[in-house]
């Protein structure tokens, strides 16, 4: 059995099978939803059922009102600005049905499954509601027409019937589904590739410039910070140096007071040859080197005993070499002080007295030089003294003999050049293979004897080359400010330089951590003569000066193996940088004076003396010159 149903969307009538009763189907024409009633009547009374969607009535064409256009899908009239047909749900722009949530139950001519079903359900519901309203109106109208006539009373005039107005039932408003709005997406203009690349390069360049500017600012900031730190370090360094120098000056002053207390009233020399004259000369030398006025009684009263010693066959006592060398150092420093006083105008003496002092000093130095040469064994080495009878090598004796010879050279007494060559050759011959020197043969090497060997070789180098050896790139020398920052070659080129460098190598390996006063004075002399600021990266002066200041006794003295007097004198020589003061006025002290050139013969320099009986050749003990001196080679 089948029944007839009408599509509320397109008004198409369809026959459906009874098994679809109570279900919803899809209109094959417009795709709208059709609700099949629950009880279906057979069409034609017992006639066989038609298949689903067989038509039994012609489809009524929808009408198109004026100003509308027919829908391409269902033919219903739509306004010219409409987007979607409210009858069939066709999207008038795209030509497709709006998507529906109903299932595809038949798949007819309406398009894809479920297309436009939602809108058509709404439209069909609206039409069905309108039909219901119309039916109710008709029903109420028919009820009024069929109402029975009321009986009219006889003999009463008829009256106008009262017509009760029926309430107008308005149909529910049809909810119009707003057409979906679509925002057109504007397509971005296609940028030219070359312009885009140029723009990118410009942006990269600007970024690089910005990065470079930031890097430059950072570099400038770091540089300013480094400069600030360097200034702070320099200020701290200057402050520390000043504090240390103040302590050094105070230590020197206290040491001077101690030495003056030991020789208050002067040294009373009794005319006999004793060893103490050398100790006295050492103390006077330290006092004069550290700036003590030679005219104060404690110093002035020691000068006459030293001059007396020089006039009475010096050097024959048991320690004659020490005594001669130290007296020569003290008298040479006195000469230096007198010359400075004369230049400054502070020397209160007549011209005749000044000339007499100069001649007397030179005569004393020549006689002391003769006494030194009496103690020379062979042609190079020296013994303690004529009365001791000791010979052989002694590095300590050798050192003070060369110091006396150097002092005589500065006092206008000429020495032949070959004497310095032979001394250099001898010193290199006794140098150990490891670069050190020993006190005597068979003894172990020591720092003190190694500095003695280096300093003695450096004196020979100075006498032969007329300038100090420059070992290091820079040297902060109080007496030679022009040498600061000067770049020189480190590689030694002569045999003397090689031997000196070898000695410093050994000394650097051993270290300079020793407060032996004898060693410290030798260290100061060796480093000053070779322009050495550091040994194995250690500042030899500042390191040991700070330690000396910290170990000074309350009375101003220092202890040592030779007693507090000589130990204090050696430490004052170290702290006051005694050797450096020799280079305050000239770079090579010891050059032959312009007025008295070095003698080409026996080295004797004729000078007037106050005593006509005095020997004419003060350096008669100088070795006979060798016309062909041997080349300086390592032993």
């Amino acid at each position: 059995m089948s029944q007839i149903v009408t599509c509320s969307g397109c008004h198409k009538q369809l026959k459906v099978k009874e098994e679809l009763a109570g279900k919803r189907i899809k209109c094959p024409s417009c795709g709208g939803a059709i609700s099949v009633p629950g009880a279906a009547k057979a069409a034609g009374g017992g006639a066989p059922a038609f298949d689903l969607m067989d038509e039994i009535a012609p489809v009524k064409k929808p009408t198109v009102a004026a100003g509308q256009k027919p829908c391409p899908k269902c033919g219903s009239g739509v306004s010219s600005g409409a987007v979607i047909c409210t009858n069939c749900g066709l999207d008038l722009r795209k030509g497709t049905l709006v998507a529906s949530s109903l299932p595809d139950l038949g798949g007819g001519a309406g398009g894809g499954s479920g297309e436009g079903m939602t809108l058509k359900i709404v439209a069909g519901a609206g039409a069905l509601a309108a039909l219901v309203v119309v039916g109710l109106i008709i029903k109420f109208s028919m009820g009024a027409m069929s109402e029975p006539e009321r009986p009219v009373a006889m003999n009463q005039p008829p009256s106008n019937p009262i017509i009760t107005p029926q309430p107008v039932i308005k149909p529910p408003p049809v909810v119009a589904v707003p057409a979906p709005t679509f925002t057109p997406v504007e397509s971005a203009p296609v940028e030219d590739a070359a312009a885009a690349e140029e723009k990118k390069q410009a942006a990269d360049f600007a970024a690089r410039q910005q990065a470079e500017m930031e890097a430059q600012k950072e570099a400038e900031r770091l540089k300013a910070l480094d400069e600030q730190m360097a200034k702070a370090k320099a200020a701290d360094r200057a402050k520390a140096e000043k504090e240390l120098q103040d302590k050094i000056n105070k230590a020197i002053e206290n040491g001077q007071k101690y030495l003056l207390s030991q020789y208050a009233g002067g040294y009373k020399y009794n005319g006999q040859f004793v060893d103490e004259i050398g100790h006295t000369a050492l103390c006077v030398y330290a006092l004069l080197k550290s700036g003590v006025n030679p005219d104060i009684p404690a110093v002035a009263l020691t000068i006459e005993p030293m001059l007396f010693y020089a006039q009475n066959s010096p050097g024959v006592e048991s320690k004659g070499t020490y005594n001669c060398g130290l007296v020569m150092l003290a008298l040479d420093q006195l000469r230096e002080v007198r010359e400075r006083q004369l230049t400054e105008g502070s020397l209160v003496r007549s011209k005749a007295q000044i000339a007499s002092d100069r001649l007397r000093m030179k005569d004393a130095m020549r006689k002391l030089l003769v006494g030194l040469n009496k103690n020379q064994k062979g042609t190079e080495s020296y013994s303690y003294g004529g009365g001791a009878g000791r010979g052989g090598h002694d590095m300590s004796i050798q050192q003070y003999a060369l110091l006396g010879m150097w002092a005589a050279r500065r006092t206008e007494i000429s020495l032949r050049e070959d004497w310095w060559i032979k001394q250099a050759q001898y010193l290199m011959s006794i140098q150990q293979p490891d670069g050190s020197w020993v006190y005597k043969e068979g003894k172990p090497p020591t720092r003190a004897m190694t500095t003695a060997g280096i300093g003695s070789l450096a004196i020979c180098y100075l006498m032969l080359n007329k300038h100090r050896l420059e070992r290091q790139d820079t040297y902060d020398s109080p007496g030679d400010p022009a040498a600061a920052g000067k770049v020189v070659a480190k590689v030694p080129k002569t045999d003397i330089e090689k031997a000196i460098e070898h000695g410093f190598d050994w000394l650097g390996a051993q270290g300079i951590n020793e407060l032996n006063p004898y060693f410290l004075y030798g260290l100061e002399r060796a480093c000053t003569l070779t322009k050495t600021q550091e040994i194995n990266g250690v500042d030899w002066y500042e390191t040991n000066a700070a330690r000396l200041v910290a170990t000074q006794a309350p009375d101003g003295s220092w202890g040592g193996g030779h007693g507090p007097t000589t130990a204090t004198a050696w430490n004052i020589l170290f702290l006051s940088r005694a050797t450096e003061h020799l280079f305050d006025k000239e770079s090579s002290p010891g050059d032959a004076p312009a007025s008295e050139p070095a003698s080409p013969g026996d080295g004797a320099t004729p000078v007037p003396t106050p005593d006509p009986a005095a020997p004419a050749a003060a350096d008669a003990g100088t070795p006979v010159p060798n016309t062909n001196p041997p080349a300086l080679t390592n032993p």
Side-chain angles (χ1 to χ4, degrees), residues 231-268:
K231 289 180 181 179
K233 288 181 179 179
D236 293 342
R237 171 74 175 172
K239 182 180 178 181
E241 288 180 352
K242 184 179 183 306
E243 291 177 354
L244 177 60
Q245 190 60 51
D246 291 342
K247 292 179 181 179
I248 291 172
N249 295 339
K250 188 65 176 177
I252 292 174
E253 181 182 351
N254 293 336
Q256 291 171 344
K257 292 178 180 179
Y258 174 78
L259 290 184
L260 291 173
S261 69
Q262 299 301 303
Y263 288 89
Y267 179 76
K268 302 298 189 295

Side-chain angles (χ1 to χ4, degrees), residues 96-289:
T96 58
L97 293 176
V98 178
S100 171
S101 62
L102 295 176
D104 188 3
L105 301 176
S113 66
E115 248 182 276
M117 290 299 288
T118 302
L119 291 179
K120 292 200 174 187
I121 290 171
V122 174
L128 180 61
L131 290 176
V132 172
V133 171
V134 172
L136 291 174
I137 293 172
I138 294 173
K139 180 178 180 181
F140 282 113
S141 299
M142 291 298 293
M145 293 176 62
S146 63
E147 184 178 356
E149 297 182 358
R150 294 180 180 178
V152 181
M154 298 298 294
N155 302 321
Q156 285 187 355
S159 61
N160 294 329
I162 298 175
I163 301 174
T164 304
Q166 297 294 324
V168 179
I169 301 175
K170 294 182 179 181
V174 178
V175 179
V177 180
T181 57
F182 298 93
T183 304
V185 179
E186 295 182 1
S187 60
V190 179
E191 193 173 24
D192 184 70
E197 181 63 23
E198 184 178 355
K199 185 176 180 181
K200 180 178 179 300
Q201 291 179 359
D204 292 344
F205 178 73
R208 285 197 304 272
Q209 277 191 326
Q210 182 67 22
E212 289 175 0
M213 290 177 61
E214 292 178 357
Q216 184 177 0
K217 289 181 180 179
E218 181 65 13
E220 292 175 355
R221 186 186 70 82
L222 293 175
K223 182 179 179 182
L225 184 61
D226 290 342
E227 291 177 354
Q228 183 179 359
M229 293 179 63
K231 289 180 181 179
K233 288 181 179 179
D236 293 342
R237 171 74 175 172
K239 182 180 178 181
E241 288 180 352
K242 184 179 183 306
E243 291 177 354
L244 177 60
Q245 190 60 51
D246 291 342
K247 292 179 181 179
I248 291 172
N249 295 339
K250 188 65 176 177
I252 292 174
E253 181 182 351
N254 293 336
Q256 291 171 344
K257 292 178 180 179
Y258 174 78
L259 290 184
L260 291 173
S261 69
Q262 299 301 303
Y263 288 89
Y267 179 76
K268 302 298 189 295
Y269 184 64
N270 58 8
Q272 298 180 357
F273 296 115
V274 293
D275 297 339
E276 285 76 12
I277 189 66
H279 291 168
T280 300
L282 175 63
C283 293
V284 172
Y285 180 58
L287 290 169
L288 295 179
K289 273 293 184 181

Side-chain angles (χ1 to χ4, degrees), residues 495-556:
D495 291 342
I496 295 178
E497 288 176 299
K498 292 177 181 178
I500 289 174
E501 199 71 30
H502 200 24
F504 271 113
D505 290 341
W506 183 89
L507 195 61
Q510 299 300 314
I512 56 174
N513 187 21
E514 183 179 339
L515 291 182
N516 178 6
Y518 184 94
F519 159 69
L520 290 178
Y521 175 47
L523 178 68
E524 185 274 334
R525 184 170 59 256
C527 292
T528 300
L529 287 169
T530 58
K531 291 188 176 182
T532 300
Q533 184 70 22
E534 295 180 348
I535 296 178
N536 204 18
V538 178
D539 189 306
W540 56 268
Y541 179 75
E542 287 189 358
T543 301
N544 289 295
R547 296 169 61 211
L548 275 182
V549 168
T551 57
Q552 188 177 27
D555 63 354

Side-chain angles (χ1 to χ4, degrees), residues 395 427 430-431 435-439 445-446 449-450 453-454 457 499 503:
M395 193 63 245
L427 290 169
I430 60 177
Q431 186 179 21
S436 64
W437 275 271
V438 299
Y439 173 60
T446 63
M449 292 299 101
T450 300
I454 294 173
L457 269 181

